[in-house]
Structure formats: structure tokens, C-alpha cells
Amino acid sequence: MSEQTSYEISPEGIAQIEAVDGYLDETIREGRPIEALIATKRLGEIASERTKEAARAATDSSWSWADVGQALGMSKQAAHEKLRARVHGEIEKGLSKLDRADKSAHEKITRKAMRKRERLGQVPSSPEVDLARQQIDEWEQRQYDKLARGIGTARGGLERAERTVNDKLDRS
């Protein structure tokens, strides 16, 4: 544990927390409970993100997972698992977003190639039209290959980030 570690909140921090609590109490008493609920939801999102950031900053410097756990009122193992679960959740969201982007891009490439083929279908067949069809097929394949490389690179980056975090968590 670092010499500067304190498991107490500074007076400024307490004042800020009390101000937020006062706001929530006031909105409820003044008949604006939905506003209070929206605010508590947003505060939960903020608190979740800041917990991750603070745990990362603590373990990147001189604090241990035991210090993080104690600050959060839980065991070292519970704090470690909580952060690991969040990291895996973020990775899963990233992979899901990549899957949606991949599907959307495939559909866009297919539509564009189909439009080009439809235009060619309106022209009488000739060696030039056959060559143009072949060029559309080649263009389409190049686009799919380029997309696959980009998605593969992005997946690799997410996998490397996950391994890095897991390695760090396992060393702690």
C-alpha cells in the first residue's frame, strides 16, 4: 500500500457527494422522481466507468488489488473479478459492433455490385459487356477481401487488448 493511500474521502469529495445527494433528495421531494431516477441511472454509469478508471490507475501505480478491494469494501479477488468482467463485457460489445459493421458493409458492397450488374443487363450482350461483368466480379471480391482484412485487424486489436488486460489482472 502506498504511503499516500487513504481509505477516506477528502472533505471536498464529501461535499460534492452531499451536493449530489441533496439534489436527488430535492427532486424527489419536489415531485420530480423521474428526474431523480434518470439522474441516478446516469450517476451509476459514471460511477461504473470511474471505478474501472480508478482501479486501473491504482494498479498501474503503487497500489495493489488488496488496496483496491479494501477501498471498494470487498476482497482483492472480488475487485479483481469485477474489473475482469467489465473488461470482457467491453470486448464483447466491441466484437458485436464489429459483427454489425461487417454485415452492413457486406450488404453495401453486394447492393452496389448488383446495381452495376443490373445496368449491364440493360445493354445487349457483347465481349465488352462480358468483360465489364468480370470486372464487377473482381471489384466485388477485392472489396470483400479488403473488408475481411480490416475486420480481422480490428478483431486482432480487441483480442490483443483483452490479452494485455488479462495478463495484467493475472499478475496482480
Short mmCIF file of all heavy atoms in Angstrom, two decimals, residues 103-164:
data_model
loop_
_atom_site.label_atom_id
_atom_site.label_comp_id
_atom_site.label_asym_id
_atom_site.label_seq_id
_atom_site.Cartn_x
_atom_site.Cartn_y
_atom_site.Cartn_z
N LYS A 103 -21.44 -6.99 -41.36
CA LYS A 103 -22.67 -7.34 -42.08
C LYS A 103 -23.16 -6.17 -42.93
O LYS A 103 -23.50 -6.34 -44.10
CB LYS A 103 -23.75 -7.76 -41.08
CG LYS A 103 -25.04 -8.17 -41.74
CD LYS A 103 -26.08 -8.57 -40.72
CE LYS A 103 -27.38 -8.94 -41.44
NZ LYS A 103 -28.47 -9.18 -40.53
N SER A 104 -23.17 -4.99 -42.36
CA SER A 104 -23.62 -3.80 -43.07
C SER A 104 -22.75 -3.52 -44.29
O SER A 104 -23.25 -3.21 -45.38
CB SER A 104 -23.62 -2.60 -42.12
OG SER A 104 -23.90 -1.42 -42.80
N ALA A 105 -21.44 -3.62 -44.12
CA ALA A 105 -20.52 -3.35 -45.23
C ALA A 105 -20.68 -4.40 -46.33
O ALA A 105 -20.65 -4.07 -47.52
CB ALA A 105 -19.08 -3.32 -44.73
N HIS A 106 -20.87 -5.68 -45.95
CA HIS A 106 -21.10 -6.72 -46.96
C HIS A 106 -22.36 -6.40 -47.77
O HIS A 106 -22.36 -6.54 -49.00
CB HIS A 106 -21.25 -8.09 -46.28
CG HIS A 106 -20.00 -8.88 -46.24
ND1 HIS A 106 -19.06 -8.72 -45.25
CD2 HIS A 106 -19.51 -9.82 -47.09
CE1 HIS A 106 -18.06 -9.54 -45.47
NE2 HIS A 106 -18.29 -10.22 -46.58
N GLU A 107 -23.42 -6.01 -47.07
CA GLU A 107 -24.67 -5.68 -47.76
C GLU A 107 -24.48 -4.51 -48.72
O GLU A 107 -25.00 -4.51 -49.83
CB GLU A 107 -25.77 -5.38 -46.74
CG GLU A 107 -26.22 -6.60 -45.96
CD GLU A 107 -27.11 -6.27 -44.78
OE1 GLU A 107 -27.33 -5.07 -44.48
OE2 GLU A 107 -27.60 -7.22 -44.14
N LYS A 108 -23.72 -3.52 -48.30
CA LYS A 108 -23.48 -2.34 -49.14
C LYS A 108 -22.70 -2.73 -50.40
O LYS A 108 -23.04 -2.29 -51.51
CB LYS A 108 -22.70 -1.29 -48.33
CG LYS A 108 -22.46 0.00 -49.05
CD LYS A 108 -21.77 0.99 -48.14
CE LYS A 108 -21.47 2.29 -48.87
NZ LYS A 108 -20.78 3.25 -48.01
N ILE A 109 -21.67 -3.54 -50.24
CA ILE A 109 -20.88 -3.98 -51.39
C ILE A 109 -21.76 -4.77 -52.36
O ILE A 109 -21.74 -4.56 -53.57
CB ILE A 109 -19.67 -4.84 -50.93
CG1 ILE A 109 -18.66 -3.97 -50.16
CG2 ILE A 109 -19.00 -5.53 -52.13
CD1 ILE A 109 -17.62 -4.76 -49.39
N THR A 110 -22.57 -5.69 -51.80
CA THR A 110 -23.46 -6.52 -52.63
C THR A 110 -24.45 -5.66 -53.40
O THR A 110 -24.65 -5.86 -54.61
CB THR A 110 -24.20 -7.54 -51.75
OG1 THR A 110 -23.23 -8.37 -51.09
CG2 THR A 110 -25.14 -8.41 -52.57
N ARG A 111 -25.07 -4.68 -52.72
CA ARG A 111 -26.03 -3.78 -53.39
C ARG A 111 -25.38 -3.02 -54.53
O ARG A 111 -25.94 -2.90 -55.63
CB ARG A 111 -26.65 -2.80 -52.39
CG ARG A 111 -27.74 -3.37 -51.54
CD ARG A 111 -28.50 -2.30 -50.78
NE ARG A 111 -27.65 -1.37 -50.05
CZ ARG A 111 -27.25 -1.55 -48.80
NH1 ARG A 111 -27.62 -2.61 -48.13
NH2 ARG A 111 -26.49 -0.65 -48.20
N LYS A 112 -24.19 -2.50 -54.28
CA LYS A 112 -23.50 -1.71 -55.30
C LYS A 112 -23.17 -2.58 -56.51
O LYS A 112 -23.37 -2.16 -57.66
CB LYS A 112 -22.23 -1.08 -54.71
CG LYS A 112 -21.60 -0.05 -55.61
CD LYS A 112 -20.52 0.71 -54.88
CE LYS A 112 -19.96 1.81 -55.77
NZ LYS A 112 -18.96 2.62 -55.06
N ALA A 113 -22.67 -3.79 -56.28
CA ALA A 113 -22.34 -4.69 -57.39
C ALA A 113 -23.61 -5.08 -58.14
O ALA A 113 -23.60 -5.14 -59.39
CB ALA A 113 -21.62 -5.93 -56.87
N MET A 114 -24.71 -5.31 -57.41
CA MET A 114 -25.97 -5.67 -58.06
C MET A 114 -26.47 -4.54 -58.96
O MET A 114 -26.95 -4.79 -60.08
CB MET A 114 -27.03 -6.04 -57.02
CG MET A 114 -26.83 -7.44 -56.44
SD MET A 114 -28.00 -7.88 -55.12
CE MET A 114 -29.55 -7.42 -55.83
N ARG A 115 -26.37 -3.29 -58.49
CA ARG A 115 -26.80 -2.14 -59.30
C ARG A 115 -26.00 -2.06 -60.60
O ARG A 115 -26.54 -1.83 -61.68
CB ARG A 115 -26.69 -0.84 -58.51
CG ARG A 115 -27.81 -0.63 -57.51
CD ARG A 115 -27.84 0.79 -56.99
NE ARG A 115 -26.60 1.25 -56.39
CZ ARG A 115 -26.28 1.11 -55.10
NH1 ARG A 115 -27.12 0.55 -54.26
NH2 ARG A 115 -25.14 1.56 -54.65
N LYS A 116 -24.68 -2.29 -60.48
CA LYS A 116 -23.83 -2.26 -61.68
C LYS A 116 -24.22 -3.38 -62.64
O LYS A 116 -24.29 -3.17 -63.85
CB LYS A 116 -22.35 -2.40 -61.29
CG LYS A 116 -21.79 -1.18 -60.59
CD LYS A 116 -20.33 -1.41 -60.21
CE LYS A 116 -19.74 -0.19 -59.53
NZ LYS A 116 -18.30 -0.37 -59.26
N ARG A 117 -24.49 -4.58 -62.11
CA ARG A 117 -24.89 -5.71 -62.96
C ARG A 117 -26.24 -5.45 -63.62
O ARG A 117 -26.45 -5.82 -64.78
CB ARG A 117 -24.93 -6.99 -62.13
CG ARG A 117 -23.57 -7.52 -61.76
CD ARG A 117 -23.66 -8.88 -61.06
NE ARG A 117 -22.36 -9.27 -60.57
CZ ARG A 117 -21.98 -9.16 -59.29
NH1 ARG A 117 -22.82 -8.72 -58.37
NH2 ARG A 117 -20.77 -9.52 -58.93
N GLU A 118 -27.15 -4.82 -62.87
CA GLU A 118 -28.47 -4.51 -63.44
C GLU A 118 -28.34 -3.55 -64.62
O GLU A 118 -29.02 -3.70 -65.63
CB GLU A 118 -29.39 -3.91 -62.37
CG GLU A 118 -29.90 -4.93 -61.37
CD GLU A 118 -30.63 -4.31 -60.19
OE1 GLU A 118 -30.77 -3.06 -60.13
OE2 GLU A 118 -31.05 -5.08 -59.32
N ARG A 119 -27.47 -2.55 -64.47
CA ARG A 119 -27.25 -1.62 -65.58
C ARG A 119 -26.69 -2.33 -66.81
O ARG A 119 -27.09 -2.06 -67.94
CB ARG A 119 -26.32 -0.48 -65.16
CG ARG A 119 -27.07 0.61 -64.42
CD ARG A 119 -26.18 1.79 -64.12
NE ARG A 119 -25.89 1.68 -62.68
CZ ARG A 119 -24.76 1.98 -62.10
NH1 ARG A 119 -23.77 2.47 -62.79
NH2 ARG A 119 -24.60 1.84 -60.82
N LEU A 120 -25.78 -3.28 -66.56
CA LEU A 120 -25.22 -4.05 -67.67
C LEU A 120 -26.28 -4.95 -68.30
O LEU A 120 -26.22 -5.24 -69.50
CB LEU A 120 -24.04 -4.90 -67.21
CG LEU A 120 -22.72 -4.18 -67.02
CD1 LEU A 120 -21.68 -5.14 -66.48
CD2 LEU A 120 -22.25 -3.55 -68.32
N GLY A 121 -27.23 -5.41 -67.50
CA GLY A 121 -28.29 -6.27 -68.01
C GLY A 121 -29.19 -5.56 -69.01
O GLY A 121 -29.91 -6.21 -69.78
N GLN A 122 -29.15 -4.25 -69.02
CA GLN A 122 -29.98 -3.47 -69.94
C GLN A 122 -29.29 -3.26 -71.29
O GLN A 122 -29.88 -2.71 -72.22
CB GLN A 122 -30.32 -2.12 -69.31
CG GLN A 122 -31.12 -2.24 -68.03
CD GLN A 122 -31.24 -0.92 -67.28
OE1 GLN A 122 -30.72 0.09 -67.70
NE2 GLN A 122 -31.96 -0.97 -66.17
N VAL A 123 -28.04 -3.69 -71.38
CA VAL A 123 -27.24 -3.50 -72.61
C VAL A 123 -27.14 -4.85 -73.32
O VAL A 123 -26.96 -5.88 -72.66
CB VAL A 123 -25.83 -2.98 -72.22
CG1 VAL A 123 -24.95 -2.84 -73.45
CG2 VAL A 123 -25.92 -1.68 -71.46
N PRO A 124 -27.24 -4.85 -74.64
CA PRO A 124 -27.10 -6.12 -75.37
C PRO A 124 -25.75 -6.78 -75.07
O PRO A 124 -24.73 -6.10 -74.90
CB PRO A 124 -27.20 -5.71 -76.85
CG PRO A 124 -27.84 -4.36 -76.85
CD PRO A 124 -27.51 -3.73 -75.53
N SER A 125 -25.76 -8.10 -75.02
CA SER A 125 -24.54 -8.85 -74.71
C SER A 125 -23.48 -8.64 -75.78
O SER A 125 -23.79 -8.57 -76.98
CB SER A 125 -24.88 -10.34 -74.59
OG SER A 125 -23.76 -11.04 -74.12
N SER A 126 -22.25 -8.50 -75.31
CA SER A 126 -21.10 -8.33 -76.20
C SER A 126 -19.85 -8.70 -75.42
O SER A 126 -19.89 -8.83 -74.19
CB SER A 126 -21.02 -6.88 -76.69
OG SER A 126 -20.63 -6.04 -75.63
N PRO A 127 -18.74 -8.84 -76.12
CA PRO A 127 -17.49 -9.14 -75.38
C PRO A 127 -17.16 -8.03 -74.36
O PRO A 127 -16.65 -8.32 -73.27
CB PRO A 127 -16.42 -9.22 -76.48
CG PRO A 127 -17.18 -9.57 -77.72
CD PRO A 127 -18.53 -8.93 -77.57
N GLU A 128 -17.47 -6.79 -74.68
CA GLU A 128 -17.20 -5.68 -73.76
C GLU A 128 -18.06 -5.79 -72.51
O GLU A 128 -17.61 -5.52 -71.40
CB GLU A 128 -17.43 -4.32 -74.45
CG GLU A 128 -16.45 -3.99 -75.52
CD GLU A 128 -16.80 -4.63 -76.87
OE1 GLU A 128 -17.95 -5.10 -77.04
OE2 GLU A 128 -15.91 -4.67 -77.73
N VAL A 129 -19.33 -6.17 -72.68
CA VAL A 129 -20.25 -6.32 -71.54
C VAL A 129 -19.78 -7.48 -70.66
O VAL A 129 -19.79 -7.40 -69.43
CB VAL A 129 -21.70 -6.51 -72.02
CG1 VAL A 129 -22.62 -6.90 -70.88
CG2 VAL A 129 -22.20 -5.23 -72.69
N ASP A 130 -19.35 -8.58 -71.32
CA ASP A 130 -18.83 -9.73 -70.55
C ASP A 130 -17.60 -9.32 -69.74
O ASP A 130 -17.45 -9.72 -68.58
CB ASP A 130 -18.50 -10.89 -71.48
CG ASP A 130 -19.74 -11.52 -72.10
OD1 ASP A 130 -20.85 -11.32 -71.54
OD2 ASP A 130 -19.60 -12.20 -73.13
N LEU A 131 -16.74 -8.53 -70.35
CA LEU A 131 -15.55 -8.04 -69.64
C LEU A 131 -15.95 -7.14 -68.48
O LEU A 131 -15.39 -7.24 -67.38
CB LEU A 131 -14.62 -7.28 -70.61
CG LEU A 131 -13.36 -6.67 -69.98
CD1 LEU A 131 -12.48 -7.76 -69.38
CD2 LEU A 131 -12.59 -5.87 -71.03
N ALA A 132 -16.94 -6.28 -68.68
CA ALA A 132 -17.41 -5.39 -67.62
C ALA A 132 -17.99 -6.22 -66.47
O ALA A 132 -17.76 -5.88 -65.29
CB ALA A 132 -18.45 -4.42 -68.17
N ARG A 133 -18.72 -7.30 -66.78
CA ARG A 133 -19.25 -8.17 -65.72
C ARG A 133 -18.10 -8.80 -64.92
O ARG A 133 -18.17 -8.88 -63.70
CB ARG A 133 -20.12 -9.27 -66.33
CG ARG A 133 -21.50 -8.82 -66.67
CD ARG A 133 -22.42 -10.01 -66.99
NE ARG A 133 -23.71 -9.51 -67.36
CZ ARG A 133 -24.14 -9.34 -68.61
NH1 ARG A 133 -23.36 -9.68 -69.62
NH2 ARG A 133 -25.34 -8.86 -68.84
N GLN A 134 -17.09 -9.24 -65.63
CA GLN A 134 -15.93 -9.84 -64.98
C GLN A 134 -15.25 -8.80 -64.07
O GLN A 134 -14.85 -9.11 -62.95
CB GLN A 134 -14.94 -10.36 -66.01
CG GLN A 134 -13.72 -11.02 -65.41
CD GLN A 134 -12.73 -11.50 -66.46
OE1 GLN A 134 -12.99 -11.46 -67.66
NE2 GLN A 134 -11.58 -11.96 -65.99
N GLN A 135 -15.14 -7.57 -64.54
CA GLN A 135 -14.52 -6.51 -63.74
C GLN A 135 -15.35 -6.21 -62.49
O GLN A 135 -14.79 -5.94 -61.42
CB GLN A 135 -14.32 -5.26 -64.59
CG GLN A 135 -13.24 -5.42 -65.63
CD GLN A 135 -13.18 -4.25 -66.60
OE1 GLN A 135 -14.15 -3.52 -66.81
NE2 GLN A 135 -12.00 -4.09 -67.23
N ILE A 136 -16.67 -6.25 -62.63
CA ILE A 136 -17.54 -6.04 -61.46
C ILE A 136 -17.31 -7.17 -60.45
O ILE A 136 -17.17 -6.92 -59.24
CB ILE A 136 -19.03 -5.97 -61.88
CG1 ILE A 136 -19.29 -4.70 -62.69
CG2 ILE A 136 -19.94 -6.04 -60.64
CD1 ILE A 136 -20.66 -4.68 -63.37
N ASP A 137 -17.24 -8.42 -60.95
CA ASP A 137 -16.99 -9.56 -60.05
C ASP A 137 -15.66 -9.39 -59.32
O ASP A 137 -15.57 -9.63 -58.11
CB ASP A 137 -16.98 -10.87 -60.84
CG ASP A 137 -18.34 -11.25 -61.40
OD1 ASP A 137 -19.36 -10.68 -60.93
OD2 ASP A 137 -18.39 -12.11 -62.31
N GLU A 138 -14.64 -8.98 -60.06
CA GLU A 138 -13.31 -8.79 -59.46
C GLU A 138 -13.33 -7.64 -58.44
O GLU A 138 -12.74 -7.74 -57.37
CB GLU A 138 -12.27 -8.54 -60.55
CG GLU A 138 -12.01 -9.77 -61.41
CD GLU A 138 -11.19 -9.46 -62.66
OE1 GLU A 138 -10.86 -8.28 -62.91
OE2 GLU A 138 -10.88 -10.43 -63.40
N TRP A 139 -14.00 -6.55 -58.80
CA TRP A 139 -14.12 -5.41 -57.87
C TRP A 139 -14.81 -5.86 -56.58
O TRP A 139 -14.35 -5.54 -55.49
CB TRP A 139 -14.91 -4.27 -58.52
CG TRP A 139 -15.25 -3.18 -57.55
CD1 TRP A 139 -14.46 -2.11 -57.23
CD2 TRP A 139 -16.43 -3.07 -56.75
NE1 TRP A 139 -15.08 -1.34 -56.27
CE2 TRP A 139 -16.29 -1.91 -55.95
CE3 TRP A 139 -17.57 -3.84 -56.60
CZ2 TRP A 139 -17.26 -1.51 -55.04
CZ3 TRP A 139 -18.55 -3.44 -55.70
CH2 TRP A 139 -18.38 -2.29 -54.93
N GLU A 140 -15.91 -6.59 -56.75
CA GLU A 140 -16.67 -7.05 -55.58
C GLU A 140 -15.79 -7.92 -54.69
O GLU A 140 -15.76 -7.74 -53.47
CB GLU A 140 -17.91 -7.83 -56.05
CG GLU A 140 -18.84 -8.24 -54.93
CD GLU A 140 -20.08 -8.95 -55.45
OE1 GLU A 140 -20.06 -9.51 -56.57
OE2 GLU A 140 -21.08 -8.95 -54.72
N GLN A 141 -15.04 -8.84 -55.29
CA GLN A 141 -14.18 -9.72 -54.49
C GLN A 141 -13.09 -8.92 -53.78
O GLN A 141 -12.78 -9.17 -52.62
CB GLN A 141 -13.55 -10.81 -55.38
CG GLN A 141 -12.81 -11.87 -54.59
CD GLN A 141 -13.70 -12.56 -53.58
OE1 GLN A 141 -14.76 -13.07 -53.93
NE2 GLN A 141 -13.30 -12.57 -52.32
N ARG A 142 -12.50 -7.93 -54.48
CA ARG A 142 -11.48 -7.09 -53.83
C ARG A 142 -12.07 -6.35 -52.63
O ARG A 142 -11.42 -6.22 -51.59
CB ARG A 142 -10.89 -6.09 -54.84
CG ARG A 142 -9.87 -6.67 -55.78
CD ARG A 142 -9.10 -5.58 -56.55
NE ARG A 142 -9.95 -4.59 -57.18
CZ ARG A 142 -10.49 -4.70 -58.40
NH1 ARG A 142 -10.26 -5.78 -59.13
NH2 ARG A 142 -11.24 -3.73 -58.89
N GLN A 143 -13.29 -5.86 -52.78
CA GLN A 143 -13.94 -5.14 -51.68
C GLN A 143 -14.17 -6.06 -50.49
O GLN A 143 -13.94 -5.69 -49.34
CB GLN A 143 -15.26 -4.52 -52.15
CG GLN A 143 -15.11 -3.45 -53.20
CD GLN A 143 -14.19 -2.33 -52.76
OE1 GLN A 143 -14.39 -1.71 -51.73
NE2 GLN A 143 -13.15 -2.08 -53.53
N TYR A 144 -14.64 -7.28 -50.77
CA TYR A 144 -14.85 -8.25 -49.68
C TYR A 144 -13.53 -8.60 -48.99
O TYR A 144 -13.47 -8.70 -47.77
CB TYR A 144 -15.51 -9.54 -50.20
CG TYR A 144 -16.96 -9.40 -50.58
CD1 TYR A 144 -17.45 -10.00 -51.73
CD2 TYR A 144 -17.86 -8.68 -49.79
CE1 TYR A 144 -18.78 -9.89 -52.09
CE2 TYR A 144 -19.19 -8.56 -50.15
CZ TYR A 144 -19.65 -9.16 -51.29
OH TYR A 144 -20.97 -9.05 -51.65
N ASP A 145 -12.49 -8.78 -49.79
CA ASP A 145 -11.17 -9.10 -49.23
C ASP A 145 -10.64 -7.96 -48.37
O ASP A 145 -10.12 -8.18 -47.27
CB ASP A 145 -10.16 -9.42 -50.34
CG ASP A 145 -10.47 -10.71 -51.08
OD1 ASP A 145 -11.28 -11.52 -50.56
OD2 ASP A 145 -9.91 -10.91 -52.18
N LYS A 146 -10.79 -6.74 -48.87
CA LYS A 146 -10.35 -5.55 -48.13
C LYS A 146 -11.12 -5.44 -46.81
O LYS A 146 -10.54 -5.19 -45.75
CB LYS A 146 -10.56 -4.30 -48.97
CG LYS A 146 -10.09 -3.02 -48.35
CD LYS A 146 -10.32 -1.85 -49.33
CE LYS A 146 -9.98 -0.53 -48.73
NZ LYS A 146 -10.26 0.59 -49.65
N LEU A 147 -12.44 -5.66 -46.86
CA LEU A 147 -13.27 -5.62 -45.66
C LEU A 147 -12.82 -6.69 -44.67
O LEU A 147 -12.68 -6.42 -43.47
CB LEU A 147 -14.74 -5.80 -46.03
CG LEU A 147 -15.73 -5.88 -44.88
CD1 LEU A 147 -15.73 -4.58 -44.06
CD2 LEU A 147 -17.12 -6.17 -45.41
N ALA A 148 -12.58 -7.90 -45.16
CA ALA A 148 -12.16 -9.00 -44.29
C ALA A 148 -10.84 -8.67 -43.59
O ALA A 148 -10.67 -8.94 -42.39
CB ALA A 148 -12.03 -10.29 -45.09
N ARG A 149 -9.90 -8.05 -44.32
CA ARG A 149 -8.62 -7.67 -43.71
C ARG A 149 -8.84 -6.63 -42.61
O ARG A 149 -8.27 -6.71 -41.52
CB ARG A 149 -7.65 -7.14 -44.76
CG ARG A 149 -7.03 -8.21 -45.62
CD ARG A 149 -5.88 -7.68 -46.48
NE ARG A 149 -6.24 -6.55 -47.32
CZ ARG A 149 -6.80 -6.65 -48.54
NH1 ARG A 149 -7.04 -7.83 -49.05
NH2 ARG A 149 -7.08 -5.56 -49.23
N GLY A 150 -9.69 -5.63 -42.90
CA GLY A 150 -9.95 -4.58 -41.91
C GLY A 150 -10.63 -5.12 -40.66
O GLY A 150 -10.25 -4.79 -39.53
N ILE A 151 -11.63 -5.97 -40.85
CA ILE A 151 -12.33 -6.57 -39.71
C ILE A 151 -11.37 -7.46 -38.94
O ILE A 151 -11.35 -7.46 -37.71
CB ILE A 151 -13.58 -7.35 -40.18
CG1 ILE A 151 -14.63 -6.41 -40.79
CG2 ILE A 151 -14.17 -8.18 -39.05
CD1 ILE A 151 -15.29 -5.46 -39.82
N GLY A 152 -10.54 -8.21 -39.65
CA GLY A 152 -9.56 -9.08 -39.00
C GLY A 152 -8.57 -8.27 -38.16
O GLY A 152 -8.23 -8.66 -37.04
N THR A 153 -8.13 -7.15 -38.71
CA THR A 153 -7.21 -6.28 -37.97
C THR A 153 -7.88 -5.74 -36.70
O THR A 153 -7.28 -5.73 -35.63
CB THR A 153 -6.74 -5.12 -38.86
OG1 THR A 153 -6.05 -5.66 -39.99
CG2 THR A 153 -5.84 -4.15 -38.12
N ALA A 154 -9.12 -5.30 -36.84
CA ALA A 154 -9.85 -4.77 -35.68
C ALA A 154 -10.07 -5.86 -34.62
O ALA A 154 -9.89 -5.62 -33.42
CB ALA A 154 -11.18 -4.17 -36.11
N ARG A 155 -10.43 -7.06 -35.06
CA ARG A 155 -10.62 -8.18 -34.11
C ARG A 155 -9.31 -8.49 -33.40
O ARG A 155 -9.28 -8.73 -32.21
CB ARG A 155 -11.10 -9.42 -34.84
CG ARG A 155 -12.55 -9.43 -35.16
CD ARG A 155 -12.96 -10.79 -35.75
NE ARG A 155 -14.29 -10.72 -36.27
CZ ARG A 155 -15.38 -10.72 -35.53
NH1 ARG A 155 -15.28 -10.79 -34.23
NH2 ARG A 155 -16.56 -10.63 -36.08
N GLY A 156 -8.22 -8.49 -34.18
CA GLY A 156 -6.91 -8.75 -33.59
C GLY A 156 -6.56 -7.72 -32.53
O GLY A 156 -6.02 -8.06 -31.48
N GLY A 157 -6.90 -6.46 -32.81
CA GLY A 157 -6.64 -5.40 -31.83
C GLY A 157 -7.43 -5.61 -30.56
O GLY A 157 -6.90 -5.45 -29.45
N LEU A 158 -8.70 -5.99 -30.69
CA LEU A 158 -9.51 -6.26 -29.50
C LEU A 158 -8.97 -7.46 -28.73
O LEU A 158 -8.91 -7.45 -27.50
CB LEU A 158 -10.97 -6.52 -29.89
CG LEU A 158 -11.80 -5.30 -30.24
CD1 LEU A 158 -13.15 -5.72 -30.81
CD2 LEU A 158 -12.00 -4.41 -29.02
N GLU A 159 -8.56 -8.49 -29.45
CA GLU A 159 -8.02 -9.68 -28.79
C GLU A 159 -6.71 -9.36 -28.07
O GLU A 159 -6.47 -9.84 -26.96
CB GLU A 159 -7.82 -10.81 -29.80
CG GLU A 159 -9.14 -11.39 -30.30
CD GLU A 159 -8.99 -12.26 -31.53
OE1 GLU A 159 -7.85 -12.47 -32.02
OE2 GLU A 159 -10.05 -12.73 -32.02
N ARG A 160 -5.86 -8.54 -28.70
CA ARG A 160 -4.60 -8.15 -28.04
C ARG A 160 -4.89 -7.32 -26.79
O ARG A 160 -4.25 -7.52 -25.76
CB ARG A 160 -3.70 -7.37 -29.00
CG ARG A 160 -2.96 -8.24 -29.98
CD ARG A 160 -1.91 -7.46 -30.77
NE ARG A 160 -2.45 -6.34 -31.53
CZ ARG A 160 -3.10 -6.45 -32.69
NH1 ARG A 160 -3.28 -7.64 -33.24
NH2 ARG A 160 -3.55 -5.39 -33.32
N ALA A 161 -5.84 -6.41 -26.89
CA ALA A 161 -6.20 -5.60 -25.72
C ALA A 161 -6.72 -6.48 -24.60
O ALA A 161 -6.36 -6.29 -23.43
CB ALA A 161 -7.25 -4.56 -26.11
N GLU A 162 -7.53 -7.46 -24.94
CA GLU A 162 -8.06 -8.36 -23.92
C GLU A 162 -6.93 -9.17 -23.27
O GLU A 162 -6.89 -9.32 -22.05
CB GLU A 162 -9.09 -9.31 -24.54
CG GLU A 162 -9.75 -10.23 -23.52
CD GLU A 162 -10.83 -11.08 -24.13
OE1 GLU A 162 -10.73 -11.44 -25.32
OE2 GLU A 162 -11.78 -11.40 -23.40
N ARG A 163 -6.00 -9.68 -24.09
CA ARG A 163 -4.87 -10.43 -23.53
C ARG A 163 -4.03 -9.55 -22.61
O ARG A 163 -3.60 -9.99 -21.54
CB ARG A 163 -4.01 -11.01 -24.65
CG ARG A 163 -4.53 -12.29 -25.24
CD ARG A 163 -3.50 -13.00 -26.10
NE ARG A 163 -2.94 -12.17 -27.15
CZ ARG A 163 -3.47 -12.00 -28.36
NH1 ARG A 163 -4.59 -12.58 -28.67
NH2 ARG A 163 -2.88 -11.23 -29.25
N THR A 164 -3.79 -8.31 -23.03
CA THR A 164 -3.00 -7.39 -22.22
C THR A 164 -3.65 -7.17 -20.87
O THR A 164 -2.99 -7.25 -19.82
CB THR A 164 -2.82 -6.04 -22.95
OG1 THR A 164 -2.14 -6.28 -24.18
CG2 THR A 164 -2.06 -5.04 -22.11
#
